[in-house]
Coordinates of all heavy atoms in Angstrom, one line a residue:
M8 N 0.8 -1.2 0.0 CA 0.0 0.0 0.0 C 0.9 1.3 0.0 O 0.5 2.2 -0.6 CB -0.9 0.0 1.2 CG -2.2 -0.9 1.1 SD -3.2 -0.6 -0.4 CE -3.8 1.0 -0.1
R9 N 2.0 1.2 0.8 CA 2.8 2.4 0.8 C 3.4 2.7 -0.6 O 3.5 3.9 -1.0 CB 4.0 2.1 1.8 CG 4.0 3.0 2.9 CD 5.2 2.9 3.8 NE 4.7 3.1 5.1 CZ 4.6 2.1 6.0 NH1 5.1 0.9 5.8 NH2 4.1 2.3 7.2
A10 N 3.8 1.7 -1.3 CA 4.3 1.9 -2.7 C 3.3 2.5 -3.6 O 3.6 3.4 -4.4 CB 4.9 0.6 -3.2
L11 N 2.1 2.0 -3.5 CA 1.0 2.5 -4.3 C 0.7 4.0 -4.0 O 0.6 4.8 -4.9 CB -0.3 1.7 -4.1 CG -1.6 2.1 -4.8 CD1 -1.4 2.1 -6.3 CD2 -2.8 1.3 -4.3
E12 N 0.6 4.3 -2.7 CA 0.4 5.7 -2.3 C 1.6 6.6 -2.7 O 1.4 7.7 -3.1 CB 0.2 5.8 -0.8 CG -1.1 5.2 -0.3 CD -2.3 6.0 -0.9 OE1 -2.3 7.2 -1.0 OE2 -3.3 5.3 -1.4
A13 N 2.8 6.1 -2.6 CA 4.0 6.9 -3.0 C 3.9 7.1 -4.5 O 4.2 8.3 -5.0 CB 5.3 6.1 -2.6
D14 N 3.5 6.2 -5.3 CA 3.3 6.3 -6.7 C 2.3 7.4 -7.0 O 2.5 8.3 -7.9 CB 3.0 5.0 -7.4 CG 2.9 5.1 -8.9 OD1 3.9 5.6 -9.5 OD2 1.9 4.7 -9.5
R15 N 1.2 7.3 -6.3 CA 0.1 8.3 -6.5 C 0.6 9.7 -6.2 O 0.3 10.7 -6.9 CB -1.1 8.0 -5.7 CG -1.9 6.8 -6.2 CD -3.0 6.5 -5.2 NE -3.7 5.3 -5.7 CZ -4.5 4.6 -4.9 NH1 -4.7 4.9 -3.6 NH2 -5.2 3.5 -5.4
L16 N 1.3 9.9 -5.1 CA 1.9 11.2 -4.7 C 2.9 11.7 -5.7 O 2.9 12.9 -6.0 CB 2.5 11.1 -3.3 CG 1.5 10.9 -2.2 CD1 2.2 10.6 -0.9 CD2 0.6 12.2 -2.0
D17 N 3.7 10.7 -6.3 CA 4.7 11.1 -7.3 C 3.9 11.7 -8.5 O 4.4 12.7 -9.1 CB 5.5 9.9 -7.7 CG 6.5 9.5 -6.7 OD1 6.8 10.3 -5.7 OD2 7.0 8.4 -6.8
R18 N 2.8 11.1 -8.9 CA 2.1 11.6 -10.1 C 1.5 12.9 -9.8 O 1.5 13.8 -10.6 CB 1.0 10.6 -10.4 CG 1.5 9.3 -11.0 CD 0.4 8.4 -11.3 NE 1.0 7.0 -11.7 CZ 0.2 6.1 -12.1 NH1 -1.1 6.2 -12.2 NH2 0.8 4.9 -12.4
L19 N 0.9 13.1 -8.6 CA 0.3 14.4 -8.2 C 1.4 15.5 -8.2 O 1.2 16.6 -8.6 CB -0.3 14.3 -6.8 CG -1.6 13.5 -6.8 CD1 -2.1 13.3 -5.3 CD2 -2.7 14.1 -7.6
F20 N 2.6 15.1 -7.7 CA 3.7 16.1 -7.6 C 4.1 16.5 -9.0 O 4.3 17.7 -9.2 CB 4.9 15.5 -6.9 CG 6.1 16.4 -6.9 CD1 6.2 17.5 -6.1 CD2 7.1 16.1 -7.8 CE1 7.3 18.3 -6.1 CE2 8.2 17.0 -7.8 CZ 8.3 18.1 -7.0
L21 N 4.2 15.6 -9.9 CA 4.6 15.9 -11.3 C 3.6 16.9 -11.9 O 4.0 17.8 -12.6 CB 4.8 14.7 -12.2 CG 6.0 13.8 -11.8 CD1 6.0 12.6 -12.7 CD2 7.3 14.6 -12.1
V22 N 2.3 16.7 -11.7 CA 1.3 17.6 -12.2 C 1.6 19.0 -11.7 O 1.6 20.0 -12.4 CB -0.1 17.1 -12.0 CG1 -1.1 18.2 -12.3 CG2 -0.4 15.8 -12.7
A23 N 1.7 19.1 -10.4 CA 1.9 20.4 -9.7 C 3.2 21.0 -10.1 O 3.3 22.2 -10.4 CB 1.8 20.3 -8.2
Y24 N 4.3 20.2 -10.2 CA 5.6 20.7 -10.6 C 5.6 21.3 -12.0 O 6.2 22.3 -12.2 CB 6.6 19.6 -10.4 CG 8.0 20.1 -10.6 CD1 8.7 20.9 -9.7 CD2 8.7 19.8 -11.8 CE1 10.0 21.3 -9.8 CE2 10.0 20.2 -12.0 CZ 10.6 21.0 -11.0 OH 11.9 21.4 -11.2
R25 N 4.9 20.6 -12.9 CA 4.9 21.1 -14.3 C 4.2 22.5 -14.3 O 4.6 23.4 -15.1 CB 4.1 20.1 -15.2 CG 4.9 18.9 -15.6 CD 4.1 18.1 -16.6 NE 4.8 16.8 -16.7 CZ 4.2 15.6 -16.4 NH1 2.9 15.6 -16.1 NH2 4.8 14.5 -16.5
K26 N 3.1 22.6 -13.5 CA 2.4 23.9 -13.5 C 3.3 25.0 -12.9 O 3.3 26.1 -13.3 CB 1.1 23.8 -12.7 CG 0.3 25.0 -12.7 CD -1.2 24.6 -12.9 CE -2.1 25.8 -13.0 NZ -2.3 26.3 -14.3
V27 N 4.1 24.6 -11.9 CA 5.1 25.6 -11.3 C 6.1 26.1 -12.4 O 6.3 27.3 -12.5 CB 5.8 25.0 -10.1 CG1 7.0 25.8 -9.7 CG2 4.9 24.7 -9.0
V28 N 6.7 25.1 -13.1 CA 7.7 25.5 -14.0 C 7.1 26.2 -15.2 O 7.7 27.2 -15.7 CB 8.5 24.2 -14.5 CG1 9.4 24.5 -15.6 CG2 9.2 23.6 -13.3
R29 N 6.0 25.7 -15.8 CA 5.5 26.3 -17.0 C 4.8 27.6 -16.7 O 5.1 28.6 -17.4 CB 4.4 25.3 -17.5 CG 4.7 24.8 -18.9 CD 3.6 24.1 -19.5 NE 3.8 22.6 -19.3 CZ 2.9 21.7 -19.0 NH1 1.7 22.0 -18.9 NH2 3.3 20.5 -18.9
D30 N 4.0 27.7 -15.7 CA 3.2 28.9 -15.5 C 3.7 29.8 -14.3 O 3.1 30.9 -14.1 CB 1.7 28.5 -15.2 CG 1.1 27.7 -16.3 OD1 1.6 27.8 -17.4 OD2 0.2 26.9 -16.0
Q31 N 4.7 29.3 -13.6 CA 5.2 30.0 -12.4 C 4.0 30.3 -11.5 O 3.9 31.4 -10.9 CB 6.0 31.3 -12.8 CG 7.2 30.9 -13.6 CD 8.0 32.1 -13.9 OE1 7.6 33.3 -13.7 NE2 9.2 31.9 -14.5
D32 N 3.2 29.4 -11.3 CA 1.9 29.5 -10.5 C 2.3 29.3 -9.0 O 2.7 28.2 -8.6 CB 0.9 28.4 -11.0 CG -0.4 28.5 -10.3 OD1 -0.5 29.2 -9.2 OD2 -1.4 27.9 -10.8
L33 N 2.1 30.3 -8.2 CA 2.4 30.3 -6.8 C 1.5 29.3 -6.0 O 2.0 28.6 -5.1 CB 2.3 31.6 -6.1 CG 3.3 32.7 -6.7 CD1 3.1 34.0 -6.0 CD2 4.7 32.2 -6.5
T34 N 0.3 29.1 -6.4 CA -0.6 28.1 -5.8 C -0.1 26.7 -6.1 O -0.1 25.9 -5.2 CB -2.0 28.3 -6.4 OG1 -2.5 29.6 -6.2 CG2 -3.0 27.4 -5.7
A35 N 0.4 26.5 -7.3 CA 1.0 25.2 -7.6 C 2.2 24.9 -6.7 O 2.5 23.7 -6.4 CB 1.3 25.1 -9.1
I36 N 3.0 25.9 -6.4 CA 4.1 25.7 -5.5 C 3.7 25.2 -4.2 O 4.2 24.2 -3.6 CB 4.9 27.0 -5.3 CG1 5.6 27.4 -6.6 CG2 6.0 26.9 -4.2 CD1 6.3 28.8 -6.6
D37 N 2.6 25.8 -3.6 CA 2.1 25.3 -2.3 C 1.6 23.9 -2.4 O 1.8 23.1 -1.5 CB 0.9 26.2 -1.9 CG 1.4 27.6 -1.5 OD1 2.5 27.7 -1.1 OD2 0.5 28.5 -1.5
R38 N 0.9 23.6 -3.6 CA 0.4 22.2 -3.8 C 1.6 21.2 -3.8 O 1.6 20.1 -3.2 CB -0.4 22.1 -5.0 CG -1.6 22.8 -5.0 CD -2.7 22.1 -4.2 NE -4.0 22.8 -4.3 CZ -4.6 23.4 -3.4 NH1 -4.0 23.4 -2.2 NH2 -5.7 24.1 -3.5
A39 N 2.6 21.6 -4.6 CA 3.8 20.7 -4.7 C 4.5 20.5 -3.3 O 4.8 19.3 -3.0 CB 4.8 21.3 -5.7
L40 N 4.6 21.5 -2.6 CA 5.2 21.4 -1.2 C 4.3 20.5 -0.3 O 4.8 19.7 0.4 CB 5.3 22.8 -0.6 CG 6.5 23.6 -1.2 CD1 6.4 25.0 -0.6 CD2 7.8 23.0 -1.0
R41 N 3.0 20.6 -0.4 CA 2.1 19.8 0.4 C 2.3 18.3 0.0 O 2.3 17.4 0.9 CB 0.7 20.2 0.3 CG 0.4 21.5 1.0 CD -1.0 21.9 1.2 NE -1.6 20.9 2.0 CZ -2.9 20.8 2.2 NH1 -3.7 21.6 1.5 NH2 -3.4 19.8 2.9
V42 N 2.4 18.0 -1.3 CA 2.6 16.6 -1.7 C 3.9 16.1 -1.2 O 4.0 15.0 -0.8 CB 2.4 16.5 -3.3 CG1 2.9 15.2 -3.8 CG2 1.0 16.9 -3.7
M43 N 4.9 17.0 -1.3 CA 6.3 16.6 -0.8 C 6.2 16.2 0.7 O 6.8 15.3 1.1 CB 7.3 17.7 -1.1 CG 7.6 17.8 -2.6 SD 8.6 19.3 -3.0 CE 10.1 19.0 -2.1
E44 N 5.5 17.1 1.4 CA 5.4 16.8 2.9 C 4.7 15.5 3.2 O 5.1 14.8 4.0 CB 4.7 18.0 3.6 CG 5.5 19.3 3.6 CD 4.6 20.5 4.0 OE1 3.4 20.3 4.2 OE2 5.2 21.6 4.1
R45 N 3.6 15.3 2.5 CA 2.9 14.1 2.7 C 3.7 12.8 2.3 O 3.7 11.8 3.0 CB 1.6 14.1 1.8 CG 0.8 12.9 1.9 CD 0.2 12.6 3.3 NE -0.5 11.4 3.4 CZ 0.0 10.3 4.1 NH1 1.1 10.4 4.8 NH2 -0.6 9.2 4.1
R46 N 4.4 12.9 1.2 CA 5.3 11.8 0.8 C 6.4 11.5 1.8 O 6.7 10.4 2.2 CB 5.9 12.1 -0.6 CG 6.6 11.0 -1.2 CD 7.1 11.4 -2.6 NE 7.5 10.2 -3.4 CZ 8.7 9.6 -3.2 NH1 9.6 10.1 -2.3 NH2 9.1 8.6 -3.9
A47 N 7.0 12.6 2.4 CA 8.0 12.5 3.4 C 7.5 11.8 4.6 O 8.1 10.9 5.2 CB 8.6 13.8 3.7
R48 N 6.2 12.2 5.0 CA 5.6 11.5 6.2 C 5.3 10.0 5.9 O 5.6 9.2 6.7 CB 4.3 12.2 6.6 CG 4.5 13.4 7.5 CD 3.2 13.9 8.1 NE 2.0 13.9 7.2 CZ 1.6 14.9 6.5 NH1 2.3 16.0 6.4 NH2 0.6 14.8 5.7
L49 N 4.8 9.8 4.7 CA 4.5 8.4 4.3 C 5.7 7.5 4.4 O 5.6 6.4 4.8 CB 3.8 8.4 2.9 CG 3.5 7.0 2.4 CD1 2.4 6.3 3.1 CD2 3.2 7.1 0.9
L50 N 6.8 8.0 3.9 CA 8.0 7.2 3.7 C 8.9 7.3 4.9 O 10.0 6.7 5.0 CB 8.7 7.5 2.4 CG 7.9 7.3 1.2 CD1 8.7 7.8 0.0 CD2 7.5 5.9 1.0
G51 N 8.6 8.1 5.9 CA 9.4 8.3 7.1 C 10.7 9.0 6.9 O 11.7 8.7 7.5
L52 N 10.7 10.0 6.0 CA 11.9 10.7 5.6 C 12.2 11.8 6.6 O 13.4 12.2 6.7 CB 11.8 11.3 4.2 CG 11.5 10.3 3.1 CD1 11.3 11.0 1.8 CD2 12.7 9.3 3.0
D53 N 11.2 12.3 7.3 CA 11.4 13.4 8.3 C 12.1 12.8 9.6 O 11.8 11.7 10.0 CB 10.1 14.1 8.7 CG 9.5 14.8 7.5 OD1 10.3 15.2 6.6 OD2 8.3 15.0 7.5
M54 N 12.9 13.6 10.2 CA 13.5 13.2 11.5 C 12.4 13.2 12.5 O 11.5 14.0 12.6 CB 14.5 14.3 11.9 CG 15.2 13.9 13.2 SD 16.4 15.1 13.7 CE 17.8 14.6 12.6
P55 N 12.4 12.1 13.4 CA 11.3 12.0 14.4 C 11.3 13.3 15.3 O 12.4 13.8 15.6 CB 11.7 10.8 15.2 CG 12.7 10.1 14.4 CD 13.3 11.1 13.4
T56 N 10.1 13.6 15.8 CA 10.0 14.7 16.7 C 10.3 14.2 18.1 O 9.7 13.2 18.5 CB 8.6 15.3 16.6 OG1 8.2 15.5 15.3 CG2 8.4 16.5 17.4
R57 N 11.1 15.0 18.8 CA 11.4 14.6 20.2 C 10.3 15.2 21.1 O 10.0 16.4 21.0 CB 12.8 15.1 20.6 CG 13.1 14.7 22.0 CD 14.5 15.1 22.3 NE 14.7 14.7 23.7 CZ 15.9 14.8 24.3 NH1 16.9 15.3 23.7 NH2 16.0 14.5 25.6
T58 N 9.8 14.4 22.0 CA 8.7 14.8 22.9 C 9.2 14.6 24.3 O 9.7 13.5 24.6 CB 7.4 14.0 22.7 OG1 7.0 14.2 21.3 CG2 6.3 14.6 23.5
E59 N 9.0 15.6 25.1 CA 9.5 15.5 26.5 C 8.3 15.8 27.4 O 7.6 16.8 27.3 CB 10.6 16.5 26.8 CG 11.2 16.3 28.2 CD 12.4 17.2 28.3 OE1 13.3 17.2 27.4 OE2 12.5 17.8 29.4
L60 N 8.0 14.9 28.3 CA 6.9 15.0 29.3 C 7.4 15.6 30.6 O 8.5 15.2 31.0 CB 6.2 13.7 29.5 CG 5.6 13.0 28.3 CD1 5.1 11.6 28.7 CD2 4.6 13.8 27.7
T61 N 6.7 16.5 31.1 CA 7.1 17.1 32.4 C 5.8 17.1 33.3 O 4.7 17.1 32.9 CB 7.6 18.5 32.3 OG1 6.6 19.3 31.7 CG2 8.8 18.6 31.4
G62 N 6.1 17.2 34.6 CA 5.1 17.3 35.6 C 4.6 18.7 35.8 O 4.9 19.6 35.0
P63 N 4.0 19.0 36.9 CA 3.5 20.3 37.2 C 4.7 21.3 37.2 O 5.7 21.0 37.7 CB 2.9 20.2 38.6 CG 2.5 18.8 38.7 CD 3.6 18.0 37.9
E64 N 4.4 22.5 36.6 CA 5.4 23.6 36.5 C 6.8 23.2 36.0 O 7.8 23.7 36.3 CB 5.6 24.2 37.9 CG 4.3 24.8 38.5 CD 4.5 25.4 39.9 OE1 5.6 25.6 40.3 OE2 3.4 25.6 40.5
G65 N 6.7 22.2 35.0 CA 7.9 21.8 34.4 C 8.8 20.8 35.2 O 9.9 20.5 34.7
G66 N 8.3 20.4 36.3 CA 9.1 19.5 37.1 C 9.0 18.1 36.6 O 8.4 17.8 35.6
P67 N 9.6 17.2 37.4 CA 9.6 15.7 37.0 C 8.2 15.1 37.1 O 7.4 15.6 37.8 CB 10.6 15.1 38.0 CG 10.6 16.0 39.1 CD 10.3 17.4 38.6
V68 N 8.0 14.1 36.3 CA 6.7 13.4 36.3 C 6.7 12.5 37.5 O 7.7 11.7 37.7 CB 6.5 12.6 35.0 CG1 5.2 11.7 35.1 CG2 6.4 13.5 33.8
Q69 N 5.7 12.5 38.3 CA 5.6 11.7 39.5 C 5.1 10.3 39.0 O 4.0 10.2 38.4 CB 4.7 12.3 40.5 CG 5.2 13.6 41.1 CD 6.5 13.5 41.8 OE1 6.8 12.5 42.5 NE2 7.4 14.4 41.5
V70 N 5.8 9.3 39.4 CA 5.3 7.9 39.1 C 5.0 7.2 40.4 O 5.8 7.2 41.3 CB 6.5 7.1 38.4 CG1 6.0 5.7 38.1 CG2 6.9 7.8 37.1
A71 N 3.8 6.7 40.4 CA 3.3 6.0 41.6 C 2.9 4.6 41.3 O 2.5 4.3 40.1 CB 2.2 6.8 42.3
T72 N 2.9 3.7 42.2 CA 2.4 2.4 42.0 C 0.9 2.4 42.3 O 0.4 3.1 43.2 CB 3.1 1.4 42.8 OG1 3.0 1.7 44.2 CG2 4.6 1.3 42.4
A73 N 0.2 1.5 41.7 CA -1.2 1.3 42.0 C -1.5 -0.1 42.4 O -0.8 -1.1 41.9 CB -2.1 1.7 40.8
T74 N -2.5 -0.3 43.2 CA -2.9 -1.7 43.6 C -3.7 -2.3 42.5 O -4.2 -1.6 41.6 CB -3.7 -1.7 44.9 OG1 -4.9 -1.0 44.6 CG2 -2.9 -1.0 46.0
T75 N -3.9 -3.6 42.5 CA -4.7 -4.3 41.5 C -6.1 -3.8 41.6 O -6.8 -3.6 40.5 CB -4.7 -5.8 41.8 OG1 -3.3 -6.2 41.9 CG2 -5.4 -6.6 40.7
D76 N -6.6 -3.5 42.8 CA -8.0 -2.9 42.9 C -8.1 -1.6 42.3 O -9.1 -1.3 41.6 CB -8.4 -2.9 44.4 CG -8.6 -4.2 45.0 OD1 -8.8 -5.2 44.2 OD2 -8.5 -4.3 46.2
E77 N -7.1 -0.7 42.4 CA -7.1 0.6 41.8 C -7.1 0.5 40.3 O -7.8 1.3 39.6 CB -6.0 1.5 42.3 CG -6.1 1.9 43.8 CD -4.8 2.5 44.3 OE1 -3.7 2.1 43.9 OE2 -4.9 3.4 45.2
L78 N -6.3 -0.4 39.8 CA -6.2 -0.6 38.3 C -7.5 -1.1 37.8 O -8.0 -0.6 36.7 CB -5.1 -1.5 38.0 CG -3.7 -1.0 38.2 CD1 -2.6 -2.1 37.9 CD2 -3.4 0.2 37.3
A79 N -8.2 -2.0 38.5 CA -9.5 -2.5 38.1 C -10.5 -1.4 38.1 O -11.3 -1.4 37.1 CB -9.9 -3.7 39.0
A80 N -10.5 -0.5 39.1 CA -11.4 0.6 39.1 C -11.2 1.5 37.9 O -12.1 2.0 37.3 CB -11.3 1.3 40.4
L81 N -9.9 1.8 37.6 CA -9.7 2.6 36.4 C -10.1 2.0 35.1 O -10.7 2.6 34.2 CB -8.2 2.9 36.3 CG -7.6 3.9 37.3 CD1 -6.1 3.9 37.2 CD2 -8.2 5.3 37.1
I82 N -10.0 0.7 35.0 CA -10.4 -0.1 33.8 C -11.9 0.0 33.7 O -12.5 0.3 32.6 CB -9.9 -1.5 33.8 CG1 -8.4 -1.6 33.6 CG2 -10.7 -2.4 32.8 CD1 -7.8 -2.9 33.9
D83 N -12.6 -0.1 34.9 CA -14.1 0.0 34.9 C -14.5 1.4 34.4 O -15.5 1.5 33.7 CB -14.6 -0.3 36.3 CG -14.5 -1.8 36.6 OD1 -14.4 -2.6 35.7 OD2 -14.6 -2.1 37.8
L84 N -13.8 2.4 34.9 CA -14.2 3.8 34.4 C -14.0 3.9 32.9 O -14.8 4.5 32.3 CB -13.3 4.8 35.2 CG -13.6 5.1 36.6 CD1 -12.6 6.0 37.2 CD2 -15.0 5.7 36.8
T85 N -12.9 3.4 32.4 CA -12.7 3.5 31.0 C -13.8 2.7 30.2 O -14.2 3.2 29.2 CB -11.3 2.9 30.6 OG1 -10.3 3.6 31.4 CG2 -11.0 3.1 29.2
D86 N -14.1 1.5 30.7 CA -15.1 0.7 30.0 C -16.5 1.5 30.0 O -17.2 1.4 29.0 CB -15.3 -0.6 30.6 CG -14.1 -1.5 30.4 OD1 -13.4 -1.2 29.4 OD2 -14.0 -2.5 31.1
Q87 N -16.8 2.2 31.0 CA -18.1 3.0 31.1 C -18.1 4.1 30.1 O -19.1 4.4 29.5 CB -18.3 3.5 32.5 CG -18.5 2.5 33.5 CD -18.6 3.0 34.9 OE1 -18.5 4.2 35.1 NE2 -18.6 2.1 35.9
T88 N -17.0 4.8 29.8 CA -17.0 5.9 28.9 C -17.0 5.4 27.5 O -17.3 6.2 26.6 CB -15.7 6.8 29.1 OG1 -14.5 6.0 29.0 CG2 -15.8 7.4 30.5
D89 N -16.6 4.2 27.2 CA -16.6 3.6 25.8 C -18.0 3.3 25.4 O -18.2 3.2 24.2 CB -15.7 2.4 25.7 CG -14.2 2.8 25.8 OD1 -13.9 3.9 25.6 OD2 -13.4 1.9 26.1
S90 N -18.9 3.0 26.3 CA -20.2 2.6 25.9 C -21.2 3.8 25.6 O -21.0 4.9 25.8 CB -20.9 1.7 26.9 OG -20.2 1.5 28.0

């Protein structure tokens, strides 16, 4: 599926690129860039984004242990919101 989607994006890019070169169409430039961005995401060409989690006021995240009963109660709450 990835190869098929990449092929489709390549074709869309060529259409937009021809319009950019031939007509110097600024809208076509935006389209070409969007296709390029989508293709890069599809193929994993972009560098991964680093995400950092912090606790309150930028401090460390507090990790606590939970009992089996507390975990069961949380699961029950989740199951209730899904229905």
